[in-house]
Structures are given as C-alpha cells and as structure tokens.
C-alpha cells in the first residue's frame, strides 16, 4: 500500500466534448484531485484527441492541477506550447523519442513537473537511468489510444517493479487504463497513488453520478467506506 496521498485524476477523454467546460467543473465538484488531459496525435497512438488550444480554453474553469499525458511523437517541439496552455504535470512516453533525458530536462526547465509513461510492453528498466529526473511515473495498464479498455493484470507486477525503483524518492506512481472501484485496492496495494479513471467516472456523461464514482474509487484505494 502506498504511503503517498491518493489522487483521483478523471480523464476528460471520456467527457462529453460538446460541453467540456461543464464536464470539467462537474468532476471538480465531484472530488477530482487532478484533471487528466490525454493529448493524442494519430501517429504515436491510433487516435486523435485535442491539443493546447482546447486545454487553454478549459484552464479558466478550474485551478485543479492539469495532469497532461502526451501520447505524441515527436514531443519536444510541443512542450513549450503545452506548458503555456496550463499544464502542471507534463508526461511524455519513454518510447516517443530517442532523447528521453533531454525531454524531461526541457519540461523541468519550463517550470513544470516531469512525468514519464511506459507502455504495457516497455519494461521498468527503461527508465532506471532517468529516475532522478522525474516527478511522476505513469504505468499504462492498457495500450494507449482509446478509452474503455480492460485493465491488463500484468500491470500489477509492473507497478510493484516501478515502486521498487522509485524507492524513497519524492515521485508519484500513476496508473492509467481500466481503473475501477473493483480493482483500485489491488492497484494501491501494488504501489500506485494516482488513479486515472475515464469511463469508470464519465460513463453515461451524467454529472450527478460523478461524485459517487470518484468517491468509490478513492474508498477502494484507501480501504475506507465510501
């Protein structure tokens, strides 16, 4: 079980885009800790979502941290624009380019927290030489590109490996993909403390349901009653 504070980060990829500002406000009112922003380019992943312009538009509706997950390649050329558009945490993929260390340095130079994401087939050892340059490690528990996928069970072992690598460092361990109230406790026991939840929060796009769903994931992760 992680000793770090549990953070719930609903992914706006599953929101109703026709009323995105209201959807962000609804999850904030429902208890979200972070706003998870999935940026996809149709190249690194087989889908296109949105970019800095949309981020900037919704930045005005909340001061909650924007946890921005860049599923794009190349990535370095866009870091400045993403930072200026309101990102607080910028996560890049270890697989997205040949110079991961340079990308992480660039993010920190912009005054933002730097994260690194690992696809399901990428071993934790891929980041062992940059671990002191990150603020967040993101373990993908599905193949990135689409919401609504099922959690890959092997991700629990990978989370344990990532937690061991992190050790006592001041680094958050995030999980993204197939997170629900049913598996949140096992995920927390494996060491994660930041939970990205898309369809398990936003399914049906009824704001009246968001608070209870966020509370259920938090309760499961902390072992408390919702």
């Amino acid at each position: 079980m992680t000793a770090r504070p549990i953070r719930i980060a609903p992914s706006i990829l599953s929101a109703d885009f026709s009323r995105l500002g209201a959807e962000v406000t609804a999850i904030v009112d429902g208890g979200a800790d972070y706003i998870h922003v999935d940026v996809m380019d149709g190249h690194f992943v087989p889908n296109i979502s949105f970019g800095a312009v949309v981020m900037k538009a919704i930045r005005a509706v909340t001061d909650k941290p924007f946890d921005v997950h860049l599923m794009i390649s190349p990535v370095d050329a866009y870091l400045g624009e993403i930072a200026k558009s309101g990102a607080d945490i910028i996560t890049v993929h270890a697989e997205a380019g040949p110079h991961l260390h340079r990308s992480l340095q660039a993010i920190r130079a912009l005054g933002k927290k730097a994260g690194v994401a690992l696809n399901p087939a990428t071993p934790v050892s891929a980041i062992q030489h940059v671990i002191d340059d990150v603020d967040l490690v993101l373990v993908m528990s599905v193949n990135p590109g689409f919401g609504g996928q099922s959690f890959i069970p092997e991700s629990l072992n990978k989370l344990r490996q990532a937690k061991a690598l992190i050790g006592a460092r001041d680094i958050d361990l995030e999980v993204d993909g197939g997170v629900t109230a049913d598996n949140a406790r096992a995920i927390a026991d494996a060491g994660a403390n930041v939970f990205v939840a898309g369809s398990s929060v936003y399914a049906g796009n009824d704001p009246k349901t968001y608070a209870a769903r966020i509370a259920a994931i938090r309760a499961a992760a902390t072992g408390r009653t919702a």
Side-chain angles (χ1 to χ4, degrees):
M1 183 72 175
T2 180
R4 297 180 70 84
I6 295 295
R7 301 288 185 239
I8 311 299
S11 170
I12 60 173
L13 185 66
S14 297
D16 179 349
F17 282 13
S18 71
R19 49 187 182 89
L20 190 53
E23 288 275 72
V24 171
T25 298
I27 57 169
V28 170
D29 291 344
D33 299 296
Y34 296 162
I35 310 301
H36 191 78
V37 182
D38 288 309
V39 179
M40 303 179 180
D41 64 358
H43 168 69
F44 181 68
V45 292
N47 198 7
I48 297 173
S49 59
F50 43 75
V53 173
V54 172
M55 278 181 50
K56 187 174 183 179
I58 60 173
R59 178 71 278 186
V61 306
T62 180
D63 59 1
K64 289 288 185 181
F66 272 20
D67 174 28
V68 182
H69 179 193
L70 298 181
M71 288 169 272
I72 64 176
S73 178
V75 68
D76 288 4
Y78 300 95
L79 295 176
E81 185 179 8
I82 292 294
K84 287 189 294 184
S85 297
D88 296 285
I89 308 163
I90 301 177
T91 296
V92 298
H93 270 262
E95 311 87 359
H99 304 296
L100 176 59
H101 183 261
R102 179 184 295 165
S103 299
L104 296 170
Q105 284 184 313
I107 294 168
R108 284 186 160 180
L110 290 164
K112 307 301 180 181
K113 289 186 176 182
V116 59
L118 298 170
N119 280 335
T122 303
V124 171
S125 60
I127 60 170
Q128 63 182 336
H129 298 298
V130 297
I131 193 63
D132 289 313
D133 299 288
V134 304
D135 302 287
L136 178 146
V137 174
L138 170 55
V139 171
M140 291 302 302
S141 45
V142 298
N143 286 294
F146 297 94
Q149 300 183 67
S150 296
F151 184 86
I152 297 172
E154 174 59 24
S155 303
L156 294 175
N157 289 328
K158 194 169 183 179
L159 285 167
R160 295 184 190 100
Q161 293 168 10
K163 185 62 177 177
L165 177 61
I166 290 169
R169 296 176 178 88
D170 185 18
I171 297 173
D172 286 318
L173 181 55
E174 185 172 50
V175 62
D176 184 356
V179 174
T180 69
D182 291 333
N183 59 23
R185 183 57 188 268
I187 291 169
D189 286 345
N193 71 292
V194 183
F195 294 70
V196 178
S199 57
S200 61
V201 170
Y202 271 120
N205 297 119
D206 180 357
K208 294 190 295 293
T209 66
Y210 299 162
R213 291 170 176 175
I214 291 170
I217 294 170
R218 193 187 307 278
T222 58
R224 303 191 183 109
T225 301

